[in-house]
Amino acid sequence: AMRCCACLFQQSLQCSPSKMAAGESNSRSSCLNLSTPGPLGNAQASNGSPGGSASNMTTSSSACSADTAAISSSLPGSPASVLVYREPVYNWQATKSTVKERFAFLFNNEVLSDVHFLVGKGMGVQRIPAHRFALAVGSAVFDAMFNGGMATTSTEIELPDVEPAAFLALLKFLYSDEVQIGPETVMTTLYTAKKYAVPALEAHCVEFLKKNLRADNAFMLLTQARLFDEPQLASLCLENIDKNTADALAAEGFTDIDLDTLMAVLERDTLGVREVRLFGAAVRWAEAEAQRQQLQPTPENKRRVLGKALGLIRFPLMTIEEFAAGPAQSGILTDREVVSLFLHFTVNPKPHVEFIDRPRCCLRGKECSITRFAQVESRWGYSGTSDRIRFSVNRRIFVVGFGLYGSIHGPTDYQVNIQIIHTDSNTVLGQNDTGFSCDGTANTFRVMFKEPVEILPSVNYIACATLKGPDSHYGTKGMRKVTHEAPATGTKTCFTFCYAAGNNNGTSVEDGQIPEVIFYT
């Protein structure tokens, strides 16, 4: 599972993977096999082979134990093409001026090693040399392993649950304080750092994950953060999901999360997405979970695998059209639940339902609206050009729709496209191609976005509506500033309106369309 998560995370990143330093190869070889370098690159000789250098040095016992020798080009019987003089290993300490350099040299090195780890499983097992003292100094787990009351005396220790690259990353950090992690190793390195109680390396892994956190990997990282008990990372993942809910739900990794993680997300009051989209995502997850449990993806089995998560979907927050087109026909809800919810949508006073009807926190509190015209007149025509008005607010809100004027010719249907555009970047932040029916009165008629659109304070936006239909009512005696005051708290939301230049059907501050903005604080 750990290997799979690491692969998913690597695929989700655009950056190039960092390569794990595996250290120099230090395998023993015969003096006739001079292609294998020893420590510091010197060729290794077999036991009993000549160890003297061209300068006639006396080989110390430490040099002999490392099975190394300086090779002279005059050594008889050896191919001249591979006879290269190297620095003698017995004096490697002289070339390392600091403790850090000397310990870094010993990383993944047979020199002075007194323990070996067999890391990984099957054909992927690697034999990695290490030094008990260096490991015990950097990890309480290794200290207990080698020096505790039940210390091991084995010189070879099997670690089948650890990835070789992750273990080398851990050793690299313990020997040199160097951090070498990348998308392909960060998950397994985090697991290894936790297993051997090296919190400093844990922190580096978590920081790497934070920097690479995006909507398309937020759910996968949230699962890992919960698994590894990393509350800070989990919190950041949830915040990212709140801000980019639709993108996060559409990501490939969403259907791979566990049920507890799904419930942790559905419980949140801060998701910025229409409830019908949440239901659709939950159904996709249920299909994947049924397959994992080797069940047929029938409506009954989808309900079974969702379990308590189904009760966290807030069906009463949907429109009756959304509910009728999706959940009511899914077969996941019981007949009694469907009837109860239809009654909730259509009658007053509304009967009690078993599902939560509390708005998500990004839509916190009661729905609010402001009206910017003091009077209604007739006739406003349409020829395919958008009605537009520029606006800004003094505090963060979420716009969920507009109120628009309808026909002066009696009951009529309109086709309409609504948008909110970020003025400076000309980016469309939210839109919906839809329609609405009017009754011929001078009332306004609601047209809603698919998801709430976040509006930040003191930023200019353009509200845009392109209607196709007969002449309508329009507003006059418009106000440049409109303030909404919350009855319970007295909190004021102040809108400022300005003319939106460009291809405009004629709407302005003084008169035109888009009389209402519907929002939540």
Side-chain angles (χ1 to χ4, degrees):
M2 191 66 58
R3 192 190 304 267
C4 179
C5 290
C7 292
L8 280 174
F9 184 65
Q10 181 182 4
Q11 292 168 4
S12 73
L13 298 182
Q14 300 297 327
C15 60
S16 299
S18 303
K19 292 187 177 179
M20 177 62 60
E24 297 178 350
S25 170
N26 295 293
S27 59
R28 299 172 183 267
S29 64
S30 164
C31 65
L32 295 179
N33 180 11
L34 299 178
S35 60
T36 304
L40 288 179
N42 50 300
Q44 297 181 347
S46 64
N47 289 336
S49 62
S53 70
S55 59
N56 218 13
M57 289 183 179
T58 303
T59 306
S60 68
S61 60
S62 63
C64 291
S65 66
D67 287 330
T68 59
I71 308 298
S72 168
S73 61
S74 63
L75 187 65
S78 299
S81 60
V82 295
L83 297 180
V84 180
Y85 178 80
R86 302 291 187 188
E87 178 184 357
V89 72
Y90 80 91
N91 200 25
W92 64 266
Q93 296 90 340
T95 66
K96 314 299 178 189
S97 59
T98 65
V99 172
K100 181 178 180 179
E101 288 179 339
R102 291 191 284 275
F103 269 83
F105 171 77
L106 295 175
F107 160 69
N108 197 25
N109 199 325
E110 294 286 354
V111 172
L112 303 180
S113 65
D114 54 2
V115 66
H116 288 80
F117 292 91
L118 301 178
V119 186
K121 294 180 181 179
M123 299 297 292
V125 171
Q126 289 188 26
R127 189 172 186 268
I128 299 174
H131 308 78
R132 295 171 185 255
F133 173 74
L135 301 187
V137 166
S139 161
V141 174
F142 282 127
D143 190 19
M145 182 186 295
F146 299 131
N147 305 310
M150 300 181 68
T152 181
T153 58
S154 175
T155 58
E156 285 199 346
I157 299 171
E158 295 183 359
L159 302 177
D161 63 323
V162 178
E163 290 289 318
F167 193 71
L168 286 168
L170 174 71
L171 296 190
K172 185 74 171 177
F173 184 76
L174 293 180
Y175 278 77
S176 65
D177 286 335
E178 291 184 28
V179 179
Q180 293 191 346
I181 53 177
E184 77 282 11
T185 59
V186 62
M187 289 297 185
T188 51
T189 302
L190 177 58
Y191 167 77
T192 308
K194 280 188 166 290
K195 176 181 174 74
Y196 293 104
V198 185
L201 183 56
E202 288 180 41
H204 284 293
C205 292
V206 171
E207 189 61 31
F208 181 91
L209 293 172
K210 289 178 185 176
K211 289 179 180 178
N212 290 282
L213 172 62
R214 298 191 310 271
D216 61 357
N217 60 31
F219 272 108
M220 186 272 292
L221 291 183
L222 175 60
T223 300
Q224 297 303 306
R226 288 165 58 85
L227 176 65
F228 293 140
D229 190 25
E230 290 288 348
Q232 187 181 19
L233 177 60
S235 178
L236 289 172
C237 291
L238 289 169
E239 289 177 14
N240 189 287
I241 292 169
D242 286 343
K243 293 178 181 179
N244 307 283
T245 310
D247 290 339
L249 292 174
E252 181 181 350
F254 166 72
T255 56
D256 296 325
I257 65 177
D258 59 274
L259 178 61
D260 288 341
T261 301
L262 177 66
M263 293 180 62
V265 172
L266 293 178
E267 286 173 347
R268 293 179 68 76
D269 289 333
T270 45
L271 300 176
V273 69
R274 298 288 298 173
E275 207 68 23
V276 69
R277 295 283 294 275
L278 276 182
F279 175 76
V283 171
R284 284 196 297 113
W285 179 90
E287 291 170 351
E289 180 64 15
Q291 186 174 6
R292 286 190 287 268
Q293 296 187 22
Q294 298 182 335
L295 299 172
Q296 290 296 318
T298 62
E300 294 77 15
N301 284 335
K302 292 176 189 177
R303 182 182 180 103
R304 172 184 168 186
V305 298
L306 280 168
K308 294 182 179 179
L310 183 63
L312 300 176
I313 298 173
R314 305 180 187 185
F315 295 101
L317 301 186
M318 299 179 186
T319 66
I320 188 172
E321 294 83 6
E322 290 171 338
F323 179 74
Q329 300 183 47
S330 67
I332 294 176
L333 297 174
T334 65
D335 290 343
R336 189 173 70 84
E337 290 168 340
V338 171
V339 170
S340 174
L341 284 164
F342 269 124
L343 289 174
H344 176 83
F345 291 127
T346 56
V347 303
N348 284 305
K350 296 187 181 300
H352 172 74
V353 291
E354 298 176 2
F355 298 96
I356 302 169
D357 61 359
R358 182 178 69 255
R360 301 285 178 182
C361 194
C362 69
L363 309 176
R364 182 168 60 245
K366 293 184 177 181
E367 181 181 284
C368 308
S369 65
I370 54 98
T371 302
R372 65 189 192 91
F373 296 122
Q375 188 172 317
V376 181
E377 298 287 348
S378 307
R379 139 188 334 244
W380 197 263
Y382 304 101
S383 59
T385 305
S386 302
D387 285 283
R388 299 151 59 93
I389 189 72
R390 185 156 58 94
F391 72 97
S392 62
V393 293
N394 68 325
R395 61 195 301 262
R396 180 176 181 247
I397 64 171
F398 290 86
V399 173
V400 295
F402 301 143
L404 302 178
Y405 290 120
S407 174
I408 59 175
H409 301 296
T412 310
D413 292 332
Y414 282 86
Q415 293 180 0
V416 60
N417 172 273
I418 58 172
Q419 295 182 343
I420 289 182
I421 301 169
H422 185 274
T423 303
D424 291 342
S425 65
N426 202 35
T427 302
V428 177
L429 303 179
Q431 69 171 335
N432 192 15
D433 282 299
T434 183
F436 70 94
S437 299
C438 63
D439 58 7
T441 67
N443 295 329
T444 58
F445 300 91
R446 295 159 59 95
V447 181
M448 310 301 284
F449 289 102
K450 292 180 180 179
E451 286 94 27
V453 181
E454 182 181 24
I455 303 296
L456 300 176
S458 305
V459 176
N460 287 320
Y461 302 88
I462 295 174
C464 178
T466 308
L467 281 77
K468 184 177 180 180
D471 293 350
S472 72
H473 296 89
Y474 71 97
T476 63
K477 297 184 179 179
M479 295 168 280
R480 186 170 298 275
K481 292 184 180 292
V482 182
T483 299
H484 177 277
E485 184 173 343
T489 63
T491 303
K492 294 182 178 181
T493 304
C494 301
F495 286 75
T496 302
F497 294 95
C498 301
Y499 179 75
N503 193 17
N504 193 330
N505 193 46
T507 288
S508 66
V509 174
E510 292 75 22
D511 52 26
Q513 260 285 12
I514 317 180
E516 287 184 351
V517 179
I518 306 166
F519 65 98
Y520 284 81
T521 56

